[in-house]
């Protein structure tokens, strides 16, 4: 209806300009005043043979403006984009939908596009029209469900929303699901954005596709960015975080979700802006600056990604066009039973496309090196946290969510194909078969693998924390909790997590879970970390645990950095633990036996796994050439003299390379200095052995001398 259209008499021009007194069409030397037909609607026929390039001169009570008419422009979204959107295969969806500044038909402006297939109408509203969308109804681009409009002279920084007329005629104002930038919460408008960041991490990106992650060193420092150093922006964090992480020796950081979210207390796990880094800390380019700085410091970046659910805020995704669009149409499938949120409809092609493209977006646009996928277990099972009668079996009568399985396979396959060197990590707490198996390999249950690179080892985490929480005198009754993980260690590619979830909500900080006095708790904390870094699998440690803070984490004030201040009488104790973490990481990175054969049984051998009465564990790790590392942990508060352990016969001498009881870590300084000769005394099925002094509550690492 609006714009210029050929008619037998010439060219009919229709314009909708609320509150205008008069509208004149300006085309070259032609000036034609349109007649007012009421309610801001103006129309007139120009005596021209074809549609010209024209502008509008609009008179208001306060003056006159000359502007372009949005409706003289052809749609700025191509047929191929619409075809891919319809198939659910647009892997760069963010380039097609949302707000995109551009030059179209020689005019600078912004193209607005949104998917709302059941809407009766959609309008663009924003600060450029005083939030009155009357003048800017969008075009419906056929059966695609996409609405489009190019607005001349609207550029970067403009605030906008979509005003949607629902099927019942009511209206709702919504943030853009594809917004790449948002207002800072609690404000929730979308912001027109174009990136101007110039990357300087070319060396990092070129090297990233090299050795597979599961055959490389990977130790992760988990960070909640808003509270690591409260008050710092992305750019200020870029001045501090890379140096701190590099000093500690971690290979990667993992950020709790940075995608925009309305409530800070959700820590980012209830996302409303899946394509926008939170504006609390700066702009999307500021976040790129932080990632860039970490890469230049040799540190990889993993971000938590939350495709399992989304909140019910009435300005975001919930019933977006007046219908169950992003969520499942069946209320029993839509409502997440634990978090009061909504679950995505993974069987809908456009919704899958929204999420798959989002995973690619973070990897390609922000150069992130990994996605840790939150709450995978809640996606995989139809009966997750549901009672009988609250769920419906799948087509085969099972409890598996076949749509979610297919989505995860597609997401992983797409990310690994498009983004070589990126790793996907599943937070999956059940015994699902094949979480890290390739998608084209079928398991005993008939499913292909989910295709993740790594899986959080929740079983190891629960068992090992349960073991060290017991008084030492009782640990012999729980010895199996530390050895059971090796029964299934090679069923998946594992990462060992001590995450934020384990140090919040009454679970206490790591050092505070442990029994005994302050010295014993710190010693056990150090011994546990030494055991963890030597155990098969990658490692993850949440901020604050690297210096044994005693209080639970709080997102309101973050780590207790004052514990490291010289004015605090026990600062040396906490710095000692941090020194240990730094040494663990640096020795780990230079010891291939600790990571090169992480996922194959040939990389591990028990030396002593049954010494329950002694609270002692000893095992060997081997690199690709068979070179070993001997790890020994004594979780008893007593010194053990001359503790004999069998060692490989081809190695004549050993040297202690790490001892968590070292004085520099706050320990007692007991150990095995110098060169340790292997003796021809049989032990543990081996012809040679070492007689070691085991410090109390300590872990030792030994390598061939």
């Amino acid at each position: 209806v609006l714009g210029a259209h050929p008619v037998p008499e010439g060219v009919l021009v229709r314009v909708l300009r609320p509150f205008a007194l008069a509208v004149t069409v300006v085309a070259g030397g032609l000036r034609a005043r349109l007649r007012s037909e009421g309610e801001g609607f103006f129309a007139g026929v120009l005596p021209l043979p074809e549609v010209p390039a024209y502008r509008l001169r609009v008179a208001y009570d306060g003056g006159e403006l000359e502007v372009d008419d949005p409706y003289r422009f052809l749609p700025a979204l191509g047929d191929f984009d619409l075809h891919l959107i319809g198939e659910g295969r647009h892997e760069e969806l963010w380039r097609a939908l949302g707000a995109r500044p551009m030059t179209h038909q020689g005019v600078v402006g912004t193209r607005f596009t949104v998917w709302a297939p059941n809407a009766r109408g959609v309008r663009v509203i924003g600060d450029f029209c005083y939030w009155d969308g009357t003048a800017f109804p969008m075009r419906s681009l056929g059966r695609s469900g996409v609405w489009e409009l190019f607005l001349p002279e609207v550029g970067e920084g403009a605030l906008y929303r979509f005003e949607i007329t629902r099927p019942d005629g009511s209206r709702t104002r919504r943030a853009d699901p594809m917004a790449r930038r948002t207002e800072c919460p609690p404000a929730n408008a979308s912001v027109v954005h174009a990136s101007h960041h110039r990357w300087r991490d070319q060396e990092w990106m070129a090297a990233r596709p090299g050795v597979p992650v599961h055959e490389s060193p990977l130790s992760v420092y988990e960070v909640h960015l808003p509270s690591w150093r409260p008050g710092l922006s992305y750019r200020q964090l870029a001045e501090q975080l890379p140096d701190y992480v590099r000093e500690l020796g971690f290979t990667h950081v993992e950020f709790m979700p940075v995608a925009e979210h309305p409530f800070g207390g959700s820590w980012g796990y209830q996302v409303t802006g899946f394509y926008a880094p939170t504006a609390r800390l700066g702009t999307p380019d500021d976040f790129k600056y932080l990632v860039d700085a970490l890469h230049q410091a040799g540190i990889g970046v993993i971000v938590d990604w939350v495709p399992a659910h989304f909140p019910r805020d009435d300005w975001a995704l919930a019933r977006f066009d007046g219908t169950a669009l992003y969520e499942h149409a069946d209320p029993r499938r839509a409502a997440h039973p634990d978090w009061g949120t909504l679950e995505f409809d993974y069987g809908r092609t456009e919704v899958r496309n929204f999420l798959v493209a989002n995973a690619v977006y973070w990897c390609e646009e922000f150069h992130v090196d990994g996605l840790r996928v939150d709450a995978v277990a809640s996606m995989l099972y139809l009966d997750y946290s549901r009672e009988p009668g609250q769920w419906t079996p799948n087509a085969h009568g099972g409890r598996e969510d076949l749509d979610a399985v297919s989505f995860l396979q597609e997401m992983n396959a797409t990310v690994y194909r498009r983004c070589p060197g990126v790793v996907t990590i599943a937070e999956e707490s059940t015994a699902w078969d094949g979480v890290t198996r390739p998608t084209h390999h079928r398991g005993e249950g008939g499913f292909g693998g989910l295709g993740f690179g790594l899986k959080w080892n929740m079983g190891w985490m629960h068992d090992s924390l349960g073991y060290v929480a017991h008084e030492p005198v009782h640990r012999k009754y729980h010895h199996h909790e530390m050895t059971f993980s090796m029964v299934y260690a090679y069923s998946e590619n594992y990462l060992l997590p001590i995450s934020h979830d384990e140090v919040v909500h009454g679970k206490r900080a790591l050092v505070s879970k442990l029994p005994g006095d302050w010295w014993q708790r710190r010693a056990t904390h150090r011994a546990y970390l030494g055991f963890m870094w030597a155990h098969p699998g990658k490692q993850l440690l949440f901020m604050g645990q690297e210096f044994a803070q005693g209080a639970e984490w709080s997102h309101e004030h973050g780590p207790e950095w004052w514990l490291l201040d010289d004015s605090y009488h026990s600062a040396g104790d906490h710095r000692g633990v941090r020194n240990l973490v730094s040494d663990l990481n640096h020795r780990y990175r230079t010891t291939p036996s600790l990571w090169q054969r992480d996922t194959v049984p040939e990389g591990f051998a028990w030396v002593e796994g049954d010494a329950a009465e002694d609270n002692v564990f000893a095992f060997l790790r081997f690199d690709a050439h068979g070179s070993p590392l001997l790890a020994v942990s004594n979780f008893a508060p007593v010194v053990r003299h001359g503790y004999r352990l069998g060692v490989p016969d081809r190695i004549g001498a050993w040297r202690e390379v790490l001892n968590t009881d070292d004085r520099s870590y706050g320990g007692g300084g007991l150990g095995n200095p110098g060169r340790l000769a292997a003796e021809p005394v049989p032990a543990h099925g081996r012809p040679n052995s070492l007689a070691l002094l085991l410090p109390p509550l300590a872990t030792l690492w030994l390598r061939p001398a």
Side-chain angles (χ1 to χ4, degrees):
V1 172
L2 298 179
H5 303 271
V7 295
E9 298 82 9
V11 175
L12 172 61
V13 178
R14 300 189 186 98
V15 175
L16 183 60
R17 288 283 161 168
F19 313 113
L21 302 177
V23 176
T24 300
V25 175
V26 179
L30 175 69
R31 301 287 188 275
R33 182 164 178 164
L34 305 181
R35 69 179 179 274
S36 173
E37 299 190 357
E39 301 294 331
F41 193 70
F42 298 83
V45 177
L46 309 182
L48 297 173
E50 59 185 19
V51 176
Y54 68 91
R55 287 169 65 84
L56 303 174
R57 183 166 291 171
V58 186
Y60 293 98
D61 193 21
E64 195 172 71
L65 299 173
E66 186 169 313
V67 296
D68 276 294
D69 182 3
Y71 301 97
R72 82 168 177 86
F73 296 92
L74 295 172
L77 190 65
D79 289 341
F80 187 57
D81 286 309
L82 294 174
H83 171 74
L84 292 176
I85 291 170
E87 282 196 336
R89 298 291 180 185
H90 204 309
E91 295 176 2
E92 296 181 356
L93 189 65
W94 66 94
R95 302 189 190 280
L97 298 182
R100 188 172 184 82
M102 63 192 309
T103 299
H104 182 46
Q105 294 178 215
V107 176
V108 175
T110 296
R111 180 194 69 197
F112 294 91
T113 46
V114 64
W115 178 63
N118 302 303
R120 290 175 58 180
V122 183
R123 293 169 172 173
V124 181
I125 59 175
D127 56 1
F128 43 82
C129 63
Y130 304 98
W131 299 99
D132 184 335
T134 307
F136 297 134
M138 302 177 74
R139 296 187 185 92
S140 171
L141 300 183
R143 293 177 7 182
S144 68
V146 175
W147 301 76
E148 180 269 353
L149 187 64
F150 174 75
L151 291 186
E153 300 178 14
V154 174
E156 294 177 47
L159 303 181
Y160 72 99
R161 292 186 178 91
F162 295 115
E163 184 178 86
I164 297 173
T165 302
R166 302 180 179 107
D168 64 2
S170 62
R171 290 180 180 172
T172 178
R173 293 185 167 191
R174 298 293 176 132
D176 182 1
M178 301 293 299
R180 298 194 295 279
R181 183 180 172 190
T182 69
E183 280 190 293
C184 186
N188 55 42
S190 303
V191 182
V192 176
H193 172 72
S195 177
H196 300 285
H197 179 75
R198 299 184 68 178
W199 290 96
R200 296 181 295 169
D201 64 348
Q202 291 81 5
E203 184 177 347
W204 173 273
M205 295 297 287
R208 190 173 72 178
V211 182
V213 169
H214 63 279
E215 297 176 4
S216 306
L218 188 143
S219 60
V220 182
Y221 183 59
E222 188 189 18
V223 176
H224 179 249
L225 279 175
S227 70
W228 184 74
R229 294 278 192 181
L232 296 189
S233 67
Y234 291 129
R235 289 184 179 266
Q236 291 168 328
L237 284 162
E239 302 303 317
Q240 297 188 30
L241 184 61
D243 288 340
Y244 184 77
V245 176
R246 181 166 54 186
E247 181 183 349
L248 285 176
F250 286 97
T251 66
H252 289 70
V253 292
E254 179 182 316
F255 297 150
M256 292 165 68
V258 295
E260 193 58 271
H261 49 283
F263 176 49
S266 77
W267 311 331
Y269 290 100
Q270 295 197 6
V271 178
T272 48
F274 281 82
Y275 284 79
T278 180
R280 293 170 175 86
L281 307 181
T283 69
D285 275 2
D286 293 338
F287 180 67
K288 289 181 178 180
Y289 183 87
L290 172 58
V291 175
D292 208 345
L294 286 159
H295 281 175
Q296 292 176 64
I299 299 160
V301 178
I302 300 166
V303 297
D304 278 13
W305 186 55
V306 191
H309 63 127
F310 59 93
R312 296 173 180 264
D313 299 76
D314 60 7
W315 50 267
L317 294 183
R319 296 190 67 81
F320 182 76
D321 64 358
T323 67
L325 191 64
Y326 288 90
E327 66 271 38
H328 204 284
D330 183 344
R332 294 176 298 177
R333 295 279 300 275
H336 197 291
D338 290 344
W339 302 316
T341 51
L342 296 170
E343 297 184 13
F344 284 101
D345 182 358
Y346 303 109
R348 185 161 194 164
T349 55
E350 298 93 342
V351 174
R352 287 166 62 126
N353 194 171
F354 174 81
L355 292 171
V356 171
N358 187 240
V360 174
Y361 172 76
W362 286 98
C363 299
E364 293 190 353
E365 289 292 312
F366 295 100
H367 288 199
V368 303
D369 307 290
L371 299 172
R372 177 268 195 182
V373 183
D374 182 65
V376 171
S378 75
M379 301 167 65
L380 291 175
Y381 297 98
L382 295 167
D383 62 346
Y384 184 87
S385 286
R386 294 178 171 91
E387 300 297 327
Q390 296 179 336
W391 63 281
T392 304
N394 63 34
H396 307 296
R399 56 195 285 254
E400 301 86 2
D401 188 330
L402 303 180
D403 292 335
V405 171
S406 178
F407 156 68
L408 290 170
Q409 291 172 328
E410 180 183 348
M411 180 277 297
N412 280 311
T414 305
V415 167
Y416 277 102
R417 171 172 49 82
R418 290 189 59 120
C419 311
V422 166
V423 62
T424 59
I425 306 169
E427 185 213 12
E428 204 284 315
S429 54
T430 73
W432 184 279
D433 177 45
V435 173
T436 59
R437 189 170 60 238
T439 56
H440 59 284
H441 288 177
R442 293 198 171 273
E444 294 180 1
F447 292 102
L450 296 183
F452 285 94
L454 297 170
K455 171 182 172 175
W456 274 23
N457 194 335
M458 310 292 277
W460 172 88
M461 180 268 296
H462 286 298
D463 289 346
S464 63
L465 288 180
Y467 174 85
V468 293
H470 289 294
E471 291 285 348
V473 70
H474 298 142
R475 285 176 182 160
K476 63 183 178 181
Y477 303 111
H478 301 273
H479 196 78
H480 65 282
E481 293 175 3
M482 291 289 265
T483 60
F484 181 66
S485 58
M486 291 311 303
V487 173
Y488 60 86
Y490 304 108
S491 61
E492 303 280 2
N493 303 334
Y494 282 115
L495 181 147
L496 314 179
I498 300 298
S499 73
H500 65 279
D501 276 335
E502 308 318 312
V503 296
V504 75
H505 294 330
K507 294 181 181 178
R508 297 177 291 173
L510 179 55
V511 75
S512 298
K513 300 176 189 286
L514 309 175
D517 58 24
W518 174 230
W519 192 96
Q520 290 175 319
R521 283 187 283 132
R522 280 188 298 119
T524 307
H525 181 102
R526 296 192 305 267
Y528 180 78
L529 293 179
F531 176 86
M532 173 181 174
W533 255 251
H535 190 284
K538 314 306 180 183
Q539 304 84 31
L540 177 142
L541 192 66
F542 184 60
M543 63 185 194
Q545 311 315 299
E546 77 273 18
F547 57 85
Q549 81 168 43
E552 284 189 335
W553 169 63
S554 165
H555 72 275
E556 295 178 346
H557 59 72
E560 297 183 319
W561 298 109
W562 58 269
L563 295 172
L564 300 168
D565 193 276
D566 287 334
S567 62
Y568 178 57
H569 63 83
S570 295
D573 296 342
H574 296 278
R575 284 199 296 265
V577 176
R578 191 175 64 177
N579 291 341
L580 170 65
V581 171
S582 177
D583 284 352
L584 282 170
N585 276 322
H586 286 98
R587 284 171 174 73
Y588 166 78
R589 295 176 76 160
T590 58
T591 307
S593 54
L594 289 175
W595 43 262
Q596 205 167 53
R597 301 168 87 180
D598 249 342
T599 59
V600 293
E602 294 81 5
F604 177 91
W606 279 112
V607 175
E608 178 56 274
D610 297 322
E613 292 291 334
D614 299 335
N615 296 355
V616 170
F617 306 87
F619 53 84
L620 291 160
R621 299 292 309 279
F622 300 97
D623 67 16
H625 303 290
S627 180
L629 176 137
L630 174 63
V632 187
S633 295
N634 175 22
F635 284 102
V638 297
V639 181
R640 301 201 181 279
H641 296 275
Y643 201 87
R644 191 162 293 280
L645 294 168
V647 293
D649 56 5
R650 67 184 186 279
I651 297 168
W654 297 74
R655 186 179 302 276
E656 193 176 87
V657 295
L658 185 132
N659 181 344
T660 65
D661 193 52
D662 192 273
R663 291 189 186 279
S664 65
Y665 308 144
L670 298 177
N672 303 270
R675 189 171 183 272
L676 304 173
E679 300 172 341
V681 178
H684 303 108
R686 294 178 171 87
N688 294 340
S689 60
L690 292 174
L692 299 175
L693 184 149
L694 304 186
L697 302 173
T699 292
L700 310 177
W701 291 0
L702 299 98
R703 295 184 66 182

